[in-house]
């Protein structure tokens, strides 16, 4: 599968270096550069590639566990004990730290991944400021300008006060790498980069963070999909699989977020909570059920003819779902002549007449990929009931 490194002419999706449509399925491996060697990182990347993940989100300096867990010392040091900067000064990069990054940042090419590398987090706001941000970003961009599989990112709060530092970082990156790589913004905490930066010419695509507030996904993605100028939308950080904020996110909740993101007009990023809180236990979280289900999600979406022409189609379902916590969401391709509907809980739904009239209608189980014929009720009824014992379901209707 191609990797996302450019933006299509339509602005709706990503392309590879040759202009071929490139599906985006991301995974958060925030600590990949800080806590792994090439030998220990490669099994993770190979697993993700086998499952269809082609964009890996990484923090250049790792996660600030001191801010998240005040009982522990604040540190950005890597597994060798090296900090990224001398005396916490980003204009004095520690060569030992970045030699270690050098060994890992190139792994995206042999494993066929785009590495989405964060060079700033709002945790850094006392270290990286508008006064030094451009020089720091220029140094990073210059050092990695010839690494082909990179996308740059930054993680401010979605507040006007962070606009100056974001602009300086973007300018520095473009000066350092001569504009070779896309730049985006992943606000943390907040919902959407579009809320304060959409009109910036350097912002190649929007990112959204909803955390465990699942109900925000569809409205946030829908709003960004409708914005002008058109830019791709990535639902970049939702609820992590495993235990997060004393709440367990199951594989069902993981795939629900992905289908909501995709059918609302965006792309999706997965994460397992233990991947950053316990990276040393990769053998325990790597092959989680949620990651396997998203591999199947990738197969289902990219198996659709001209999947990149998919557009939200909220009128595909007229009624039945959306009550008592059930939700149905539709998308379609006018070019390829199909409709895809995701029903997140057992329900009986009423299809829009032209969808119901499609001669081929198929149920797809998002857990297994199993497919069975979907037949509307006799007598001209346009209703369908999800198969028994399915947690959620897809309807593929084809003309």
């Amino acid at each position: 599968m191609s990797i996302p490194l450019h933006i299509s002419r339509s602005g709706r999706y990503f392309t590879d270096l040759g202009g071929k449509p490139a599906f985006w399925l991301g995974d958060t491996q925030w600590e990949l550069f800080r806590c792994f060697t090439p030998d220990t990182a490669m099994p993770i990347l190979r697993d993700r590639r086998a499952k269809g993940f082609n964009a890996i989100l990484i923090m250049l300096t790792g996660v600030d566990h001191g801010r998240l867990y005040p009982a522990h010392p604040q540190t950005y040091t890597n597994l060798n004990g090296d900090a990224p900067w001398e005396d916490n000064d980003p204009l004095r990069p520690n060569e030992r730290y970045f030699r270690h990054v050098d060994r890992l940042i190139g792994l995206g090419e042999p494993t066929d991944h785009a590495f989405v590398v964060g060079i700033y987090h709002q945790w850094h706001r006392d270290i990286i400021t508008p006064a030094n941000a451009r020089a720091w970003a220029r140094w990073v961009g210059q050092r990695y300008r010839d690494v082909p599989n990179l996308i740059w990112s930054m993680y401010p709060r979605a507040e006007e006060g962070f606009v100056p530092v974001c602009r300086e970082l973007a300018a520095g990156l473009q000066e350092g790498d001569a504009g070779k790589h896309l730049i985006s913004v992943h606000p943390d905490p907040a919902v959407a980069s579009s809320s304060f930066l959409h009109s910036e010419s350097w912002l190649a695509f929007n990112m959204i963070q909803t955390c465990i507030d699942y109900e925000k996904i569809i409205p946030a993605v829908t709003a960004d999909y409708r914005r002008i100028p058109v830019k791709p939308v990535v639902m970049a950080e939702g609820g992590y699989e495993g235990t997060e904020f004393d709440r367990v996110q199951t594989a069902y909740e993981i795939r629900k977020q992905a289908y909501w993101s995709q059918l609302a007009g965006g792309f999706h990023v997965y994460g397992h909570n233990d991947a950053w809180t316990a990276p040393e236990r990769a053998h325990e979280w790597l092959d989680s059920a949620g990651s396997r289900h998203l591999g199947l999600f990738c197969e289902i979406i990219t198996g659709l003819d001209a999947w990149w022409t998919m557009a939200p189609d909220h009128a595909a379902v007229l009624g039945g779902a959306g009550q008592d916590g059930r939700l149905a969401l539709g998308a379609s391709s006018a070019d390829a002549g199909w409709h895809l509907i995701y029903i997140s809980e057992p329900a009986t739904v009423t299809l829009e007449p032209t969808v119901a009239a499609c001669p081929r209608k198929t149920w797809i189980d998002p857990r297994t990929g199993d497919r069975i014929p979907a037949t509307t009720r006799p007598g001209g009824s346009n209703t369908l009931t999800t198969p028994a014992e399915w947690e959620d379901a897809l309807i593929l209707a084809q003309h």
Side-chain angles (χ1 to χ4, degrees):
M1 186 171 68
S2 299
I3 60 173
L5 292 171
H6 290 301
I7 307 299
S8 68
R9 290 184 178 180
S10 70
R12 288 294 182 202
Y13 58 89
F14 298 91
T15 70
D16 64 13
L17 290 174
K20 179 181 177 182
F23 187 68
W24 171 298
L25 181 59
D27 179 35
T28 56
Q29 295 294 330
W30 304 121
E31 298 281 33
L32 196 76
F33 293 164
R34 199 172 71 89
C35 297
F36 293 89
T37 66
D39 288 344
T40 56
M42 283 300 282
I44 295 171
L45 296 174
R46 290 189 182 114
D47 174 272
R48 289 331 195 210
R49 169 42 65 185
K51 290 172 177 165
F53 294 94
N54 61 353
I56 305 295
L57 279 64
I58 310 164
M59 289 299 299
L60 185 59
T61 62
V63 175
D64 185 346
H65 287 263
R67 298 255 184 166
L68 293 172
Y69 305 109
H72 298 283
Q74 178 179 340
T75 178
Y76 294 107
T77 55
N78 64 16
L79 75 173
N80 301 316
D82 300 318
W85 307 300
E86 302 288 349
D87 298 324
N88 260 355
D89 181 355
L91 302 189
R92 297 175 60 199
N94 181 349
E95 183 63 22
R96 293 189 305 276
Y97 183 94
F98 286 98
R99 279 202 299 268
H100 182 75
V101 173
D102 295 347
R103 298 172 61 208
L104 289 155
I105 203 167
L107 296 182
E109 195 168 5
T111 61
D112 204 23
H113 286 104
F115 281 176
V116 185
V117 178
I119 67 162
Y120 169 86
H121 195 283
Q122 53 99 353
W123 295 326
H124 297 135
R125 59 187 177 273
D126 297 329
I127 301 171
I128 300 173
T129 69
N132 63 20
R134 184 179 295 213
W136 153 245
R138 184 189 305 117
W139 182 87
V140 174
Q142 176 71 39
R143 188 176 185 103
Y144 299 113
R145 66 185 298 170
D146 294 325
V147 178
N149 292 35
L150 289 185
I151 295 172
W152 298 120
S153 186
M154 53 191 89
Y155 297 77
R157 291 178 177 270
E159 300 170 359
E160 287 298 320
F162 283 86
V163 171
V165 73
C166 290
R167 286 175 173 163
E168 288 298 300
L169 289 164
L173 287 170
Q174 291 175 320
E175 290 168 5
D177 72 2
K180 287 185 176 182
H181 304 109
L182 299 179
I183 301 173
S184 190
V185 171
H186 177 151
D188 182 18
V191 176
S193 58
S194 62
S195 67
F196 70 124
L197 289 168
H198 183 75
S199 62
E200 297 289 320
S201 61
W202 51 265
L203 185 75
F205 58 97
N206 281 307
M207 286 193 175
I208 293 169
Q209 183 201 75
T210 62
C211 197
I212 59 175
D213 295 328
Y214 300 153
E215 71 280 359
K216 294 181 179 179
I217 293 174
I218 294 172
V221 173
T222 299
D224 275 6
Y225 183 84
R226 292 172 175 171
R227 290 185 187 275
I228 301 297
V230 173
K231 296 182 179 184
V233 186
V234 174
M235 225 305 291
E237 196 170 11
Y240 285 82
E241 188 173 13
T243 303
E244 181 186 22
F245 301 113
D246 298 319
R247 170 178 169 176
V248 176
Q249 273 67 234
T250 65
Y252 161 65
E253 289 167 313
I254 292 302
R255 64 180 183 268
K256 179 168 65 173
Q257 294 177 85
Y259 283 105
W260 284 353
S261 299
Q262 193 72 39
L263 272 64
F267 297 95
H268 193 70
V269 175
Y270 160 83
H272 196 292
N273 203 57
D274 291 350
W276 68 274
T277 60
E280 72 282 358
R281 299 206 304 267
H283 61 284
E284 296 178 9
W285 49 258
L286 187 59
D287 193 34
S288 63
S291 70
R292 294 195 301 272
H293 290 179
L294 286 203
L296 182 57
F297 159 79
C298 178
E299 291 179 15
I300 290 170
I301 299 299
T302 60
L304 297 168
D305 290 342
W307 62 261
W308 54 92
T309 63
M310 174 186 295
D313 185 2
H314 300 305
V317 179
L318 297 181
Q323 302 167 8
D324 302 322
R326 294 186 290 271
L327 182 63
L329 194 64
S332 63
S333 169
D335 292 350
W338 52 257
H339 307 267
L340 186 69
I341 298 164
Y342 176 66
I343 307 172
S344 62
E345 294 187 18
T348 296
V349 299
T350 301
L351 304 181
E352 190 275 332
T354 59
V355 178
C358 288
R360 292 180 293 159
K361 292 186 289 294
T362 306
W363 287 110
I364 306 173
D365 188 341
R367 296 172 302 178
T368 64
D370 291 344
R371 301 185 181 218
I372 59 175
T375 306
T376 50
R377 294 177 180 177
S381 171
N382 295 339
T383 62
L384 285 170
T385 301
T386 53
E389 300 183 0
W390 286 22
E391 289 182 301
D392 50 350
L394 291 159
I395 301 170
L396 176 61
Q398 298 166 287
H399 291 289

